[in-house]
Amino acid sequence: MDAVLRLELPTPYPVGTVNAWWLDGPEPVLIDTGVPTRANLEILEAALAVHGRSLGDVRRILLTHDHADHAGAASAVARRSGAPVHMHARGRLGPRWKPEEIQALARFLLRCGMPADVLAGAGEALRRDARYADADPVVPEPLWGGEILDSPLGPLTVLATPGHSHDHLSYLAIDAGLLFCGDTLLPYITPNPILHLDPDAGFRRVPSLLQHLESLRTLAALPVRRAHPGHGPDLLDVAGRVAHDLAFVQARQGVFLAAIRRGADTPWSLAQAVFGDQDPTGRFLAVSETVAYLDLLERDAGLDVRWEADPIRVGRT
Ligand SMILES: [Zn+2]
Ligand SMILES: [Zn+2]
């Protein structure tokens, strides 16, 4: 068996499958876990059994971030193995949204100009998504980034790479030149920096795209020969993929500016102009991404955003 085994697991999401990574040795490490379903655990066990391994052998569970396709099965694997779960201190096992967080999010989306009936549909979609939350979470061990953990690949450096999610971590096996980058860098898609209102800071919005761009620059500078992403095949040219994503963001800024010139003046109307109509989840993601770009356009393109207005107003200075 290779030192790193890719476990490709099905998810109920449009992204398709998710990758979990088994680092083999006397003290095996599992990075990410798939969704919290019985079927997922059976697939994991079957894939490991081929190599004479089982989930009971895991000595440490590491999570890149708390989205259900990555973190969902962490508690179940922890119970099966007795292994601790490590994740970012701000990440969360169990339900993604607390009631007060849903309220804060709803208020913010209405201020983005999202119509109330569209908001109701998006809320329903997010609630449906909640059935993939871990129903019985264990207490994870917190990481912040900067820690160095033991692993079968030698020292594993924990890197804070927020943006796609506020709690995103990547793991660098420096001796092997390998990077586990979760959803920060993906082979076929440019990750969506998802809207996050920080419950520890009065639900202040996190500038997710600005954070994501910083994280990409961090990854591009690392001495790695191969990156293992959260979805899809390995990346052999990390700096090249980062350059691709930076160019994508640059081009999309131009699309937003053109829509603003044509008259879109709230985050919702801008999202409609750029992404067109979407299903309920897609409408949330479109506004989420639009808001993330407003930070960048405000910083780099002289856009005037009146964040305190209701609805939030976007215009040229
Ligand atoms: Zn994710
Ligand atoms: Zn993912």
Side-chain angles (χ1 to χ4, degrees):
M1 170 175 193
D2 293 338
V4 178
L5 178 66
R6 176 184 180 216
L7 301 162
E8 191 181 1
L9 305 167
T11 80
Y13 303 111
V15 72
T17 60
V18 66
N19 295 326
W21 301 96
W22 178 273
L23 314 189
D24 200 54
E27 310 261 289
V29 168
L30 181 66
I31 300 180
D32 285 345
T33 63
V35 293
T37 61
R38 189 184 298 268
N40 180 55
L41 290 171
E42 283 170 8
I43 292 166
L44 271 170
E45 286 288 21
L48 292 172
V50 172
H51 301 276
R53 292 297 203 176
S54 92
L55 287 176
D57 299 333
V58 178
R59 287 293 161 267
R60 202 197 283 277
I61 301 157
L62 303 178
L63 299 177
T64 57
H65 62 303
D66 69 6
H67 291 169
D69 47 341
H70 298 263
S75 297
V77 177
R79 270 190 283 274
R80 211 168 268 203
S81 61
V85 177
H86 299 257
M87 72 190 303
H88 194 281
R90 294 196 191 284
R92 190 185 294 161
L93 297 177
R96 283 278 297 290
W97 309 95
K98 292 183 179 165
E100 62 272 26
E101 291 167 348
I102 293 174
Q103 282 162 17
L105 184 64
R107 276 198 304 276
F108 182 79
L109 291 172
L110 287 172
R111 288 186 50 243
C112 285
M114 183 182 264
D117 60 321
V118 173
L119 175 66
E124 185 52 41
L126 292 177
R127 268 190 294 280
R128 272 201 303 277
D129 188 50
R131 74 191 150 178
Y132 293 106
D134 177 356
D136 187 13
V138 300
V139 178
E141 310 252 339
L143 295 170
W144 289 97
E147 298 87 350
I148 298 177
L149 308 172
D150 293 330
S151 90
L153 299 174
L156 203 60
T157 304
V158 183
L159 303 165
T161 52
H164 166 70
S165 71
H166 66 289
D167 68 325
H168 202 290
L169 296 172
S170 298
Y171 299 95
L172 171 67
I174 189 93
D175 293 351
L178 297 176
L179 174 70
F180 299 87
C181 54
D183 285 356
T184 297
L185 199 63
L186 296 169
Y188 300 133
I189 43 179
T190 301
N192 190 335
I194 292 178
L195 178 64
H196 179 68
L197 306 177
D198 186 351
D200 299 327
F203 296 110
R204 206 176 60 199
R205 189 175 55 82
V206 171
S208 53
L209 181 57
L210 301 184
Q211 290 187 339
H212 180 64
L213 296 177
E214 271 306 303
S215 296
L216 287 181
R217 292 190 182 100
T218 300
L219 296 189
L222 298 174
V224 294
R225 60 182 178 81
R226 182 181 284 265
H228 298 302
H231 306 271
D234 288 353
L235 292 155
L236 300 179
D237 178 9
V238 169
R241 187 64 199 173
V242 167
H244 167 278
D245 283 3
L246 294 177
F248 176 95
V249 169
Q250 182 81 29
R252 185 153 276 185
Q253 271 186 279
V255 176
F256 278 112
L257 284 174
I260 292 164
R261 273 195 291 273
R262 288 197 303 272
D265 64 350
T266 64
W268 169 251
S269 62
L270 194 48
Q272 289 284 101
V274 169
F275 297 99
D277 201 22
Q278 305 271 330
D279 67 15
T281 309
R283 288 174 182 155
F284 166 73
L285 291 174
V287 174
S288 161
E289 186 161 349
T290 299
V291 167
Y293 270 82
L294 291 181
D295 290 323
L296 188 62
L297 292 165
E298 205 178 14
R299 191 188 72 182
D300 293 353
L303 192 74
D304 181 34
V305 185
R306 283 190 280 139
W307 292 106
E308 301 313 320
D310 188 3
I312 295 164
R313 289 283 173 193
V314 178
R316 308 288 298 179
T317 46

